[in-house]
Amino acid sequence: MLEKILIIDFGSQYTQLIARRVRESEVYCEIVPYNHLPELTPEIKGIILSGSPASVRDKNAPQVDIEKLVAFAPVLGVCYGAQLLALHYGGEVEKSNVREYGRANLQIKKQDDLLLSNIADNSQVWMSHGDTIKSIGTKFELIASSDSLEMAAFRSSNGCFPHKVYALQFHPEVYHSSEGHKILNNFLFTVCGCSHNWTPGSFVESTIKSLRQQIGNEKVILGLSGGVDSSVAALLLEEAIGDNLLCIFVDNGLLRKDEFEVVLEKYKEMGLNVQGVRAGKRFLHELHGVSDPEQKRKIIGRVFIEVFEHEANNHPEVKWLAQGTIYPDVIESVSVKGPSATIKSHHNVGGLPDILKLKIVEPLRNLFKDEVRKAGKELGLVPEILYRHPFPGPGLAVRIIGDVTAEKVRILQEADHIYIENLKKFNLYNEVWQAGAILTGTRSVGVMGDERTYENVVALRAVNSTDGMTADWSHLPYDFLAKTSNEIINSVKGVNRVVYDISSKPPATIEWE
C-alpha cells in the first residue's frame, strides 16, 4: 500500500512547496481543496493544513471538519492551519499590530518534543502572516517561541486527542526556514510513522502495472512534443503496452533549428512507434499577417488539432488518447474557490479529447516536473531530451514579436542555435533552467564593414527557476555573452544588434509573448 500525506489547501502560495518538500523525502502526498475533501482512507498517514491569504476571523473564512481530521490521523497546521486549530479549540487569534513577515529565530521550550527533535535553538524560520495567535486554549501546550512571537509552535497536550496534533505559525517548507525540512521530516517519519516508499523506481513499476490494467490490449495515441513530459509518458506507455502505442510528432515549422529531424531520430532509437508529420507550411500559411500573441496561440492550437485529428482518423483502432499532464496542471485546475476536475485546455492538447471521443490516460498526472525527470532517468530517457529546457507549446511563434514569416523563423532559428550551442560549449546549458533567443520586432541602425545597416535586434533570455512560477535572470559570464553576440551578428544575415534580458519573473514573464 502506498502511504499518503493529505495536504489540505486553503489557498496559500506555498501549498505546492509543502508538497514538493514531502515528495523530496520520498513520501507520497496529495493536495486537495479544503471544500472538496476526499474520503479518509487507511493509506493516509498524516494531514497537513496549509496557510492561506484569508483570515480565520473573516465571516467567510475557509473551514474544514477539524474534529473529523484530528480523530483520523496526526495533524500539522501551518500558519492559517495553526490559527484554525487554535481558534477551534478555544484559543484567541487577533490581527497583528505589525505584520509578521520575514526571518525570525526559534526559541525551543520543550527539548524533548518529537517535532522539534534535533532542531537547534535559535534556528532561523520564516514568518508570513497578518494575524497572530494570542492564546492556544487548554488542549495545547507551547513548544517554541520566536524573538517576536510567543506562540510560534504548539502541540496537543497528552490525552487530548487520539493522535498527535502540531501547529506552526511559521513556514517550514520555504528555503529561509533553515531546518524546516528537518521539522517536516520529524512530522513525516517520527510522528506519522511514514516510510520512504515514494521513489522513481517504485513509481515506474507501479505505473506500468496500472497502465496495463487500465488499457489492456487496446491502442493508444500520444502527441509527442520533444519535451520531457510527453517523452516520459511515451516511455511508460511503451513499457506497458509496447507497439499498441502510436506516437505522433508534428513539425509545425516553429521548432528549433533541425529539431524535428534530430528528435525524431532519437525517438526511433529509443524504440518508440513514432510517426513524424511535416506541417510547417500549413502553420505558417494560417499565421500569415497575424501579430496578436493570443491569436497566434489560438491558430497554432487549432491547426495542431486539425493535423493531429487527421492522423488519428487514419487509425480507427485507437481507443485512448495519452497526455503528458503533470501534477501542477491538475492542482491549478482545482480552485479552492470552486473545485473542478477539468484540466485547462492548453494541457489537454487544446480540446482533442472532445473531438476524438477517446478515453484519456495521463501517466504523469501525479508528478511534479522534477519527479518527471527522475522517472525519465529511471526509464533510460536519453540526456538530450531528459535535460532539455522547457520550450513553449506554440514554439518560436511566441518568440517572434509581431507577425510570423518564414524569413523571421529562419533568422530566429539561426540565432537561437548559436546561443544554445554556445551554452553547451561553455558548460552553462545545465546551469540554466530555460534559455532562448527572441526576435524583438525592433530594427536598429548599425555599421557593418563600410555600410550602414538597419536590421533586426535579437534578445537573449536565460532564467533560473524550479517550476517556472517564479524565475530570476541568469547571470551569464560576460565572455560568453560577448562571444555569442559576435557570432550571431557575424553569422546571421538580418541581425545587427544583440541584447540580454535581465528581467525577473515577476514582474516580467519568462517568454516575451
Side-chain angles (χ1 to χ4, degrees):
M1 179 178 70
L2 181 64
E3 300 168 346
K4 181 194 300 184
I5 295 293
L6 196 66
I7 301 172
I8 298 178
D9 181 21
F10 294 101
S12 170
Q13 61 178 324
Y14 296 135
T15 302
Q16 281 198 39
L17 193 52
I18 297 174
R20 292 175 68 87
R21 295 290 177 261
V22 173
R23 298 275 188 95
E24 285 168 6
S25 295
E26 298 181 337
V27 176
Y28 181 67
C29 64
E30 288 182 2
I31 296 173
V32 296
Y34 74 92
N35 53 355
H36 195 62
L37 297 185
E39 179 186 354
L40 299 179
T41 50
E43 67 268 19
I44 297 173
K45 304 284 285 184
I47 298 167
I48 298 176
L49 308 179
S50 85
S52 175
S55 167
V56 293
R57 301 175 301 107
D58 292 344
K59 182 180 178 181
N60 296 317
Q63 299 288 336
V64 288
D65 188 344
I66 289 176
E67 298 288 347
K68 181 179 179 180
L69 300 179
V70 300
F72 185 82
V75 171
L76 173 64
V78 176
C79 206
Y80 180 90
Q83 295 162 2
L84 205 59
L85 286 166
L87 192 65
H88 183 80
Y89 289 107
E92 294 178 74
V93 180
E94 297 178 2
K95 187 174 179 60
S96 178
N97 293 329
V98 179
R99 180 171 172 80
E100 288 156 346
Y101 181 87
R103 295 172 178 83
N105 294 102
L106 208 59
Q107 296 152 11
I108 298 173
K109 305 294 184 183
K110 299 282 186 182
Q111 299 295 333
D112 63 340
D113 184 69
L114 297 178
L115 189 69
L116 301 182
S117 176
N118 296 316
I119 304 300
D121 212 19
N122 289 314
S123 179
Q124 179 181 285
V125 295
W126 184 260
M127 301 285 184
S128 180
H129 52 90
D131 289 345
T132 189
I133 299 171
K134 293 297 185 182
S135 67
I136 54 177
T138 59
K139 294 196 174 187
F140 296 111
E141 55 185 339
L142 189 66
I143 58 173
S145 300
S146 76
D147 34 14
S148 61
L149 186 67
E150 183 182 2
M151 308 295 176
F154 54 95
R155 70 183 182 193
S156 53
S157 300
N158 286 336
C160 287
F161 301 100
H163 305 278
K164 293 282 186 182
V165 178
Y166 282 94
L168 306 173
Q169 266 207 104
F170 57 87
H171 288 273
E173 69 276 15
V174 302
Y175 171 79
H176 300 296
S177 290
S178 56
E179 294 185 281
H181 203 175
K182 192 184 293 185
I183 293 172
L184 285 174
N185 279 351
N186 285 341
F187 179 71
L188 298 174
F189 302 114
T190 306
V191 177
C192 298
C194 292
S195 53
H196 299 266
N197 67 351
W198 176 250
T199 63
S202 68
F203 167 78
V204 167
E205 183 180 351
S206 63
T207 300
I208 290 170
K209 182 179 178 181
S210 174
L211 288 171
R212 285 174 181 153
Q213 293 173 343
Q214 183 182 8
I215 296 166
N217 199 37
E218 294 181 326
K219 305 278 187 180
V220 179
I221 193 168
L222 167 67
L224 288 169
S225 68
V228 65
D229 296 343
S230 65
S231 301
V232 173
L235 284 182
L236 283 167
L237 285 159
E238 198 274 335
E239 287 282 340
I241 62 173
D243 285 344
N244 278 346
L245 171 68
L246 170 63
C247 299
I248 305 292
F249 183 32
V250 176
D251 177 11
N252 59 10
L254 302 164
L255 302 175
R256 285 183 154 131
K257 183 181 179 181
D258 301 329
E259 184 172 27
F260 179 71
E261 295 81 5
V262 171
V263 173
L264 186 61
E265 187 58 33
K266 290 292 179 188
Y267 281 142
K268 289 179 178 177
E269 288 174 7
M270 288 157 53
L272 292 176
N273 179 19
V274 58
Q275 178 180 330
V277 180
R278 290 189 177 275
K281 289 183 180 179
R282 179 172 176 180
F283 279 87
L284 286 174
H285 174 75
E286 295 280 352
L287 287 167
H288 179 71
V290 178
S291 297
D292 179 71
E294 188 58 28
Q295 194 63 23
K296 286 195 283 188
R297 289 177 184 272
K298 287 179 178 177
I299 289 170
I300 293 166
R302 172 178 59 78
V303 177
F304 177 83
I305 289 171
E306 292 169 359
V307 171
F308 195 92
E309 182 187 11
H310 179 266
E311 297 302 324
N313 286 339
N314 291 331
H315 301 276
E317 72 279 8
V318 169
K319 303 298 181 187
W320 294 83
L321 172 69
Q323 297 184 158
T325 308
I326 62 175
Y327 198 43
D329 306 335
V330 177
I331 296 167
E332 289 168 13
S333 72
V334 183
S335 166
V336 296
K337 299 295 184 184
S340 166
T342 306
I343 306 302
K344 294 182 293 186
S345 62
H346 65 273
H347 292 302
N348 61 22
V349 205
L352 275 169
D354 293 336
I355 290 174
L356 297 177
K357 308 298 181 188
L358 298 175
K359 296 178 282 187
I360 305 298
V361 57
E362 297 170 316
L364 308 177
R365 66 176 286 113
N366 292 326
L367 295 190
F368 286 104
K369 190 77 170 186
D370 54 333
E371 293 174 318
V372 175
R373 283 202 165 93
K374 289 175 183 176
K377 188 175 182 179
E378 185 76 20
L379 287 159
L381 181 60
V382 293
E384 295 92 328
I385 296 177
L386 182 63
Y387 299 111
R388 181 177 183 258
H389 289 175
F391 189 67
L396 297 180
V398 294
R399 292 182 178 174
I400 295 173
I401 310 304
D403 65 328
V404 180
T405 66
E407 175 63 8
K408 289 181 180 179
V409 171
R410 179 199 66 78
I411 291 171
L412 186 54
Q413 283 180 332
E414 295 291 341
D416 182 81
H417 182 71
I418 291 170
Y419 181 31
I420 298 300
E421 288 304 304
N422 276 347
L423 282 171
K424 293 175 180 176
K425 289 175 186 175
F426 277 68
N427 294 318
L428 293 169
Y429 185 84
N430 291 332
E431 302 299 316
V432 171
W433 191 76
Q434 182 173 341
I438 296 97
L439 194 61
T440 65
T442 300
R443 289 177 178 267
S444 73
V445 173
V447 178
M448 301 180 78
D450 293 326
E451 295 183 0
R452 185 179 178 89
T453 62
Y454 189 61
E455 293 182 334
N456 291 284
V457 179
V458 165
L460 305 181
R461 181 75 159 137
V463 298
N464 288 82
S465 181
T466 55
D467 51 20
M469 297 176 70
T470 61
D472 191 18
W473 62 277
S474 301
H475 296 233
L476 297 177
Y478 289 158
D479 58 342
F480 163 81
L481 291 172
K483 183 177 188 298
T484 301
S485 174
N486 287 338
E487 280 192 38
I488 290 173
I489 292 170
N490 291 333
S491 303
V492 183
K493 185 178 179 181
V495 177
N496 69 354
R497 191 179 299 269
V498 173
V499 298
Y500 186 56
D501 183 350
I502 59 169
S503 311
S504 293
K505 177 186 178 182
T509 54
I510 295 175
E511 299 295 342
W512 279 37
E513 286 194 344

